[in-house]
């Protein structure tokens, strides 16, 4: 055997060993074992809601109060950022109501905590704290000032940056140098800081817990005893840097740290909800039968959905009703302002694939294509999923299917479909109809299409005007970011991708859409490639 054949054989052997170590059974068994640790930690503070950081965190508990989306890339050393399209304000409101919360995530890189917990969330808590203190220092409301004296927030509201010990001083300095910039970005984004200031009695502060954390069970402090609102960050997996072979009475298996990450590469169509509904059967099936067992479960679920359609609950954010019945979106009192008293925590709500989120009184909603198959209170549907759906609507003109691909597969798919989407929305919204915009997951393409419609057809106060305000206004990156923040207040799991957002801005700055769906030249500013990039980063 020559040298080339020897190297090839070694390569094949290594690949075969890796595939065996990263098998479906090993991943699910690792998740199951790590979930025991998550359950133990959640019982230390049973009154605090448990949240999953999408998407990896969803796998590590059968029940979550809600979910959030803090990206690790926002905490990477060369990409430190505070992203206004992922404000996660519902997390801060929930923590304010309950006195804190716990967030579950994991990492498979041999680190104790993912960057989302080491830096992204600490940046988030610090910027929110600074924005709240800035808001309180400017208010002239006597009642709020009296409350502020009670909470001593004028002086004692902690705005320092709290990072874990393993973050270097160099990185700390980089973050601290940009805190003022990020606070200003939050201030101009239109985020409802006033409601946060009213909801939070103590400043936010992260705490970190891993499987290596030493906790004396007889000395666990009550969360109310702290002088801050705790955001307890729980990393589910063991951080050992080598392969662990674990043995039970029935099977031997290899432990995978952070097994829940990158589910498309290993889950074979299995979702966290499906896994936990069948966890005992899957684990008991063993390594040899696991793949077939999962395939049967996935197929059975697919048939069930095709025949019936389902509607799983999520965190529901109800818009406040204005005393005069107005639908305007003024900065003081707005149907698109998050009302902290209207958040409902639905048990077992971690499977949110069928959610519909209404945007206040705009008659616009975003959701998944599965939800659109069995809608309620919907007059017309704009389906941006690749596959068409069977819907029950009054007439065929109330349904439009625009197969749209994400920017990873088609850099212009969203841009090419937006003229037809905006025209369809204009025709129906002008008649007072309620429009649902849906896509496969209700988190990306539908959000971007809804953003284009909201800017194109609604004025600055959120009133439908058929495009009059848009035709007379230069759309800037700040305006687009502000409208996206409004959408994210209701669609709390919105995750618009950078590439799709850039297509929306290209559409908004490149032309107008008339009643015939034709585009016309515009006079929008910020149309350079650099500004487009800034918007996608800022959004």
């Amino acid at each position: 055997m020559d040298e080339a054949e020897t190297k090839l054989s070694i390569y094949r052997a290594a690949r075969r060993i890796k595939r065996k170590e990263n098998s479906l059974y090993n991943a699910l068994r690792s998740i199951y074992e790590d979930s025991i640790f998550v359950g133990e930690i959640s019982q230390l503070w049973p009154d605090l809601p448990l949240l999953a950081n999408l998407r990896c965190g969803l796998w590590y508990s059968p029940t979550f109060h809600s979910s959030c989306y803090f990206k690790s890339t926002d905490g990477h050393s060369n990409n430190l950022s505070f992203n206004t399209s992922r404000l996660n304000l519902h997390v801060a409101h929930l923590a304010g109501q309950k006195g804190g919360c716990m967030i579950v995530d994991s990492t498979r890189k041999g680190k104790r905590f993912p960057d989302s917990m080491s830096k992204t969330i600490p940046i988030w808590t610090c910027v929110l704290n600074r924005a709240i203190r800035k808001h309180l220092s400017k208010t002239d409301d006597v009642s709020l000032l009296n409350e502020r004296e009670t909470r001593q927030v004028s002086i004692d509201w902690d705005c320092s940056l709290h990072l874990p010990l393993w973050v270097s001083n160099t990185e700390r300095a980089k973050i601290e140098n940009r805190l003022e910039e990020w606070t200003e970005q939050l201030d101009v984004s239109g985020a409802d800081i006033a409601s946060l200031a009213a909801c939070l009695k103590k400043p936010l502060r992260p705490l970190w817990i891993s499987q290596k954390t030493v906790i004396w069970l007889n000395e666990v402090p009550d969360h109310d005893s702290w002088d801050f609102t705790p955001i307890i960050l729980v990393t589910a997996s063991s951080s050992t840097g080598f392969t662990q072979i674990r043995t039970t009475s029935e099977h031997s298996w290899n432990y995978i740290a952070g097994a829940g990450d990158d589910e498309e590469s290993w889950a074979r169509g299995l979702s966290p909800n499906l896994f936990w509904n069948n966890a005992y059967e899957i684990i008991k099936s063993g390594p040899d039968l696991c793949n077939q067992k999962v395939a049967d479960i996935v197929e059975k679920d697919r048939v069930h959905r095709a025949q019936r359609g389902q509607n799983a609950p999520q965190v529901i954010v109800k818009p406040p009703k204005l005393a005069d019945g107005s639908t305007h979106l003024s900065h003081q009192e707005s149907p698109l302002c998050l009302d902290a008293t209207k958040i409902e925590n639905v048990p077992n709500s971690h499977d949110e694939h069928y959610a519909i989120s209404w945007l206040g009184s705009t008659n616009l909603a975003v959701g998944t294509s599965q939800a659109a198959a069995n809608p309620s209170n919907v007059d017309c549907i704009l389906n941006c999923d690749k596959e068409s759906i069977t819907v029950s609507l009054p007439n065929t003109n109330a349904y439009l299917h625009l197969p749209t691909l994400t920017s990873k597969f088609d850099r212009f798919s969203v841009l090419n479909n937006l003229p037809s989407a905006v025209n369809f929305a204009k025709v129906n919204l002008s008649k007072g109809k309620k429009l649902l915009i849906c896509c496969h997951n209700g988190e990306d393409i539908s959000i971007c299409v809804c953003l284009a419609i909201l800017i194109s057809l609604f004025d600055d106060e959120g009133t439908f005007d058929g495009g009059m305000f848009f035709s007379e206004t230069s759309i800037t990156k700040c305006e687009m970011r502000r409208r996206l923040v409004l959408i994210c207040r209701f669609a709390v799991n919105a995750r618009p991708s950078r590439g799709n957002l850039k297509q929306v801005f290209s559409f908004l700055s490149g032309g107008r859409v008339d009643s015939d769906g034709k585009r016309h030249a515009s006079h929008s500013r910020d149309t350079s490639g650099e500004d487009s990039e800034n918007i996608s980063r800022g959004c």
Side-chain angles (χ1 to χ4, degrees):
M1 183 180 293
D2 59 24
E3 183 178 354
E5 290 179 343
T6 301
K7 290 183 178 179
L8 184 59
S9 298
I10 294 174
Y11 172 78
R12 287 176 177 172
R15 293 289 296 176
R16 188 176 297 112
I17 293 172
K18 186 174 181 180
R19 282 197 300 269
K20 185 175 181 180
E21 290 177 350
N22 295 332
S23 69
L24 179 61
Y25 182 82
N26 286 341
L28 295 176
R29 186 61 186 263
S30 301
I31 289 170
Y32 184 82
E33 295 294 323
D34 289 335
S35 71
I36 297 174
F37 167 71
V38 173
E40 292 173 348
I41 298 301
S42 66
Q43 290 305 308
L44 297 179
W45 295 279
D47 295 334
L48 296 185
L50 188 68
L51 284 73
N53 193 30
L54 296 175
R55 293 175 302 165
C56 182
L58 276 175
W59 289 90
Y60 289 96
S61 177
T63 57
F64 285 103
H65 285 79
S66 181
S67 61
C68 54
Y69 188 45
F70 295 97
K71 287 193 70 174
S72 287
T73 51
D74 292 335
H76 288 176
S77 299
N78 297 323
N79 191 50
L80 295 169
S81 62
F82 177 83
N83 202 309
T84 53
S85 72
R86 295 184 285 271
L87 286 179
N88 292 288
L89 294 185
H90 65 292
V91 178
H93 280 279
L94 191 59
Q97 291 175 3
K98 302 295 185 180
C101 69
M102 289 182 278
I103 299 177
V104 177
D105 202 351
S106 185
T107 180
R108 63 167 59 187
K109 297 181 179 180
K111 299 182 294 187
R112 291 179 65 186
F113 289 85
D115 285 337
S116 61
M117 290 183 165
S118 294
K119 284 170 281 187
T120 304
I121 295 178
I123 289 172
W124 174 79
T125 57
C126 183
V127 172
L128 289 190
N129 285 335
R130 290 165 66 96
I132 291 171
R133 186 173 68 175
K134 183 177 180 181
H135 169 80
L136 292 173
S137 66
K138 293 190 299 184
T139 183
D140 293 324
D141 190 327
V142 176
S143 62
L144 188 55
L145 285 174
N146 291 337
E147 183 182 355
R148 193 176 75 187
E149 290 174 2
T150 302
R151 292 187 279 168
Q152 297 182 335
V153 297
S154 58
I155 299 175
D156 299 334
W157 193 266
D158 183 13
C159 292
S160 28
L161 177 66
H162 295 278
L163 293 171
L165 296 176
W166 53 87
V167 175
S168 68
N169 291 332
T170 302
E171 282 197 292
R172 173 183 286 274
K174 287 182 180 179
I175 295 172
E176 289 178 335
N177 289 337
R178 300 191 62 186
L179 288 174
E180 187 62 35
E181 170 195 343
W182 291 329
T183 305
E184 182 62 26
Q185 287 181 9
L186 176 60
D187 188 46
V188 301
S189 71
D192 189 7
I193 303 302
S195 67
L196 282 181
C199 179
L200 284 166
K201 303 300 186 295
K202 304 173 185 178
L204 299 167
R205 181 170 175 177
L207 300 174
W208 296 267
I209 295 180
S210 73
Q211 291 196 28
K212 289 187 175 181
T213 302
V214 177
I215 300 176
W216 300 100
L217 297 181
N218 60 338
E219 297 181 6
V220 174
D222 186 84
H223 64 85
D224 289 333
S225 65
W226 289 318
D227 58 357
F228 53 85
T229 301
I231 306 295
I232 301 175
L233 308 178
V234 182
T235 183
S237 299
S238 172
S239 59
T240 54
F242 54 88
T243 301
Q244 298 180 51
I245 300 177
R246 302 189 180 183
T247 304
T248 64
S249 57
E250 295 118 347
H251 313 290
S252 293
W253 54 282
N254 294 324
Y255 174 77
I256 302 174
D261 194 19
D262 192 22
E263 59 195 45
E264 289 89 356
S265 65
W266 61 267
R268 298 175 179 245
L270 193 68
S271 68
N273 189 51
L274 269 182
F275 169 63
W276 286 109
N277 286 340
N278 302 274
Y280 180 77
E281 296 177 35
I282 293 173
I283 298 302
K284 293 296 289 184
S285 66
D288 296 332
L289 301 178
C290 178
N291 287 11
Q292 185 58 51
K293 186 67 178 180
V294 168
D296 293 342
I297 291 171
V298 171
E299 177 62 17
K300 182 179 178 180
D301 180 69
R302 186 193 68 79
V303 173
H304 177 82
R305 293 173 191 250
Q307 291 176 342
R308 296 173 179 82
Q310 296 175 341
N311 185 21
Q314 71 164 6
V315 173
I316 302 170
V317 183
K318 298 179 180 179
K321 295 183 179 179
L322 303 185
D324 60 358
S326 170
T327 61
H328 292 304
L329 300 181
S330 67
H331 297 295
Q332 299 299 321
E333 218 173 7
S334 163
L336 288 183
C337 284
L338 180 64
D339 186 348
T341 65
K342 299 295 184 180
I343 297 179
E344 296 180 2
N345 300 311
V346 183
N348 199 25
S349 63
H350 60 282
D351 186 14
E352 301 175 0
H353 295 293
Y354 304 98
I356 294 179
S357 302
W358 288 95
L359 274 61
S361 303
T362 62
N363 283 343
L364 286 172
V366 291
T368 65
S369 51
Q370 291 93 333
N374 187 26
S376 58
N377 301 321
V378 172
D379 300 316
C380 47
I381 295 175
L382 172 58
N383 179 19
C384 302
D385 198 350
K386 290 186 296 183
E387 304 295 332
S388 185
I389 57 176
T390 303
V391 296
S392 177
L393 292 172
N395 57 75
T396 56
N397 294 330
Y399 175 76
L400 176 64
H401 181 213
L402 294 174
T404 307
L405 299 177
T406 186
S407 59
K408 288 184 178 181
F409 301 101
D410 188 333
R411 291 186 298 161
F412 305 104
S413 183
V414 173
L415 177 63
N416 292 336
N417 281 306
L418 281 179
S420 298
V422 172
N423 183 52
F424 178 77
K426 181 176 181 179
V427 170
N428 287 280
L429 292 173
S430 64
K431 300 176 183 178
K433 294 184 178 180
K434 296 180 179 179
L435 171 64
L436 169 62
I437 306 161
C438 63
C439 64
H440 175 67
N441 58 17
E443 299 170 352
D444 187 0
I445 293 176
S446 59
I447 299 295
C448 292
V449 172
C450 183
L451 175 63
I453 291 172
L454 189 66
I455 295 176
S456 299
L457 302 178
F458 289 77
D459 64 18
D460 192 44
E461 295 182 334
T463 302
F464 176 79
D465 65 0
M468 294 179 59
F469 177 82
F470 178 58
S471 65
E472 300 171 355
T473 306
S474 298
I475 301 301
T476 65
K477 58 185 179 182
C478 291
E479 175 63 18
M480 181 169 162
R481 187 181 302 129
R482 191 174 70 83
R483 297 289 185 109
L484 181 59
V485 168
L486 293 177
I487 294 175
C488 292
R489 288 177 183 172
F490 292 92
V492 295
N493 285 338
R495 298 188 287 168
S497 66
R498 178 178 299 176
N500 291 340
L501 285 174
K502 290 177 68 175
Q503 292 180 70
V504 172
F505 184 66
S506 178
F507 166 78
L508 295 173
S509 59
R512 311 298 191 203
V513 179
D514 60 19
S515 58
D516 297 323
K518 297 179 180 178
R519 301 185 74 197
H520 300 277
S522 75
H523 54 278
S524 275
R525 295 189 297 271
D526 294 339
T527 57
S528 69
E530 180 181 356
D531 283 325
S532 260
E533 181 69 14
N534 289 339
I535 283 189
S536 59
R537 285 183 177 275
C539 290

